[in-house]
Amino acid sequence: MDETAEVLWSADSEADTVKLAQWLALHAEPGTLITLDGDLGAGKTRFSQAFAAGLGVKGVVNSPTFTIIKEYESGRLPLYHMDVYRLSTPEADELGLDDYFYGEGVSLVEWASLIPELLPQERLEIRLTHLGGEQRSITLRGMGSRYSAWCRELAGMPEGGGKA
């Protein structure tokens, strides 16, 4: 992997989280991989809903906790929304995740820190931390040149209080 960059995004409201998710959706291209981690209630599903809306996905987007993978084809790119919380690494490996990660769509993986050895080296890691009320601290770590560039661009944005 050639480079990494990290930025801290301060979300004082749900609207700030939505703004970040939609910005990322606008920059997504085939093969984009975004991982989401954080405690229960940190906002992973809400982030995923806003990201999906940014891609133009129609219909309800909810957590794929029990279905593991939900595929949405109605946006400008296919969205593969995954929740690997209930999977062991061997079970996750049997799902053929590489077909999604290197496919024509965007992979959004909740609880990705549970399967690090199955993830491509190049990805955008997002950790959401609930600070009370609607406030969130969102740490973005870009691994690889494309995702590192996103982090540097976000760090320069005044809204969201991006800090490298």
Side-chain angles (χ1 to χ4, degrees):
M1 182 171 26
D2 52 350
E3 62 180 288
T4 62
E6 192 169 291
V7 63
L8 178 63
W9 183 271
S10 298
D12 292 328
S13 67
E14 183 178 325
D16 290 338
T17 300
V18 168
K19 183 184 297 183
L20 173 62
Q22 292 186 339
W23 186 94
L24 291 169
L26 286 173
H27 288 77
E29 55 193 46
T32 293
L33 172 59
I34 298 175
T35 68
L36 296 171
D37 282 286
D39 293 334
L40 290 172
K44 295 179 297 296
T45 299
R46 182 61 189 108
F47 179 95
S48 298
Q49 292 167 336
F51 185 88
L55 283 178
V57 170
K58 309 282 186 257
V60 177
V61 174
N62 50 30
S63 180
T65 302
F66 295 103
T67 57
I68 313 301
I69 301 172
K70 288 189 177 179
E71 297 182 24
Y72 301 93
E73 301 285 338
S74 61
R76 75 173 175 83
L77 293 169
L79 174 62
Y80 312 124
H81 186 196
M82 307 171 193
D83 184 328
V84 298
Y85 183 75
R86 299 188 186 311
L87 296 179
S88 66
T89 299
E91 289 170 328
D93 194 29
E94 288 176 15
L95 291 174
L97 297 179
D98 281 353
D99 292 339
Y100 293 99
F101 296 157
Y102 297 104
E104 291 302 311
V106 177
S107 297
L108 199 56
V109 185
E110 295 188 31
W111 300 102
S113 63
L114 298 175
I115 59 163
E117 58 277 2
L118 299 181
L119 299 171
Q121 284 191 329
E122 293 197 10
R123 61 186 181 265
L124 180 66
E125 296 180 341
I126 298 178
R127 173 161 290 284
L128 295 105
T129 304
H130 188 221
L131 301 176
E134 291 186 2
Q135 290 186 308
R136 303 288 187 275
S137 174
I138 305 173
T139 304
L140 298 95
R141 182 171 184 241
M143 302 171 67
S145 59
R146 171 176 34 158
Y147 303 113
S148 294
W150 290 0
C151 287
R152 287 190 299 275
E153 190 170 342
L154 286 166
M157 295 172 66
E159 62 276 6
K163 299 178 193 79

